[in-house]
Amino acid sequence: MMDKLTDKHIQAQALQHLLIHYEKKYDKYKKLDRDDIIKNLELYIAKIRRTLIQVLEEEQENENKSIKFY
């Protein structure tokens, strides 16, 4: 039996894709020694990870709830 797909699952998957996207950009710019861009990407990646943890730890599953970045 398949579990019900909820907004929580959709949010987590979207954040994972976003995280992968920014990690690839981070690797690309790290090879090019672009420290100015790397610092911003590190902040974005950290914010996405915190948000992903927050979404996964939420006990209530509210439908149609937008993602809040932490």
Side-chain angles (χ1 to χ4, degrees):
M1 182 176 204
M2 189 165 176
D3 291 333
K4 179 181 168 189
L5 186 63
T6 63
D7 284 347
K8 182 177 179 177
H9 294 100
I10 294 168
Q11 288 178 357
Q13 187 176 24
L15 288 166
Q16 287 172 338
H17 285 293
L18 197 58
L19 182 62
I20 290 168
H21 174 74
Y22 278 110
E23 286 176 338
K24 285 181 182 179
K25 281 188 174 290
Y26 178 83
D27 292 339
K28 174 185 168 185
Y29 286 113
K30 189 162 180 112
K31 290 177 186 175
L32 298 173
D33 290 326
R34 294 291 309 269
D35 291 334
D36 55 329
I37 297 174
I38 289 174
K39 291 193 185 271
N40 284 335
L41 290 173
E42 286 173 345
L43 292 174
Y44 292 155
I45 290 169
K47 186 176 271 197
I48 293 167
R49 286 181 178 157
R50 284 192 304 269
T51 304
L52 182 58
I53 290 168
Q54 188 71 26
V55 166
L56 293 174
E57 289 179 345
E58 285 180 351
E59 292 195 19
Q60 289 184 341
E61 295 182 18
N62 298 328
E63 291 187 22
N64 300 325
K65 183 179 174 189
S66 61
I67 298 173
K68 294 181 183 175
F69 286 91
Y70 298 92

